[in-house]
Amino acid sequence: QVRLVESGGGLVQAGGSLRLSCAASGRTDSIAHMGWFRQAPGKEREFVARLTWSDISWNTGLPSYADSVKGRFTISRDNAKNTVYLQMNSLRPEDTAVYYCAARRILFSEWDRWGQGTQVTASS
C-alpha cells in the first residue's frame, strides 16, 4: 500500500548539483524511515542516506549518510507533501548510478518498499 516514485535525475557536469525527489503515497503512516540507495552498472546496491519519517522511532531520528557522500549530499523531508529529497552537491563521476528511494515500515527491519529508480550521471 506504500508506493514510491522518484524524479529529478539527469545528466550534470562533475562539480554540479542535482536534487532528487521521492513522492510517497498510500499508507505513509506505516513508514518509519525513508532513504536513498544507488546502484551503478555491474555494482551492488549501496546505501546513500536515510532519515526518520514516523513520529514513532527507536533511533536518534538524525539523518544518516554513507561516508562517500558526507558533506556533499543532504537528505530532507516535506511531510505535507509526503516527499523526501536528496540534495546532491559537488557531484563526482563515481556518483553515477541509478538512485532508488526506499521505505522501511514500522516494526520491519528490512527496506521493503522501493521506487522505480532515477538515473544520475555526472560527467567529467
Side-chain angles (χ1 to χ4, degrees), residues 2-18:
V2 175
R3 295 174 293 279
L4 306 174
V5 179
E6 303 98 331
S7 63
L11 174 64
V12 298
Q13 295 289 329
S17 298
L18 206 61

Side-chain angles (χ1 to χ4, degrees), residues 27-53:
R27 291 292 306 278
T28 57
D29 58 346
S30 70
I31 299 173
H33 307 279
M34 295 187 70
W36 290 94
F37 296 78
R38 66 187 182 186
Q39 186 169 20
K43 305 294 183 180
E44 62 184 24
R45 184 184 64 195
E46 65 175 347
F47 165 79
V48 176
R50 74 169 190 271
L51 53 63
T52 299
W53 179 263

Side-chain angles (χ1 to χ4, degrees), residues 8-18 20 38 40-41 72-73 88-99 118-124:
L11 174 64
V12 298
Q13 295 289 329
S17 298
L18 206 61
L20 306 182
R38 66 187 182 186
R72 300 188 298 120
F73 291 9
M88 304 182 293
N89 298 325
S90 302
L91 282 163
R92 305 165 180 171
E94 52 264 41
D95 294 318
T96 296
V98 176
Y99 283 70
T118 184
Q119 177 70 44
V120 172
T121 302
S123 61
S124 60

Side-chain angles (χ1 to χ4, degrees), residues 84-110:
V84 62
Y85 304 95
L86 184 68
Q87 179 66 46
M88 304 182 293
N89 298 325
S90 302
L91 282 163
R92 305 165 180 171
E94 52 264 41
D95 294 318
T96 296
V98 176
Y99 283 70
Y100 296 92
C101 179
R104 188 169 71 203
R105 291 179 288 169
I106 298 172
L107 301 181
F108 283 73
S109 61
E110 69 278 0

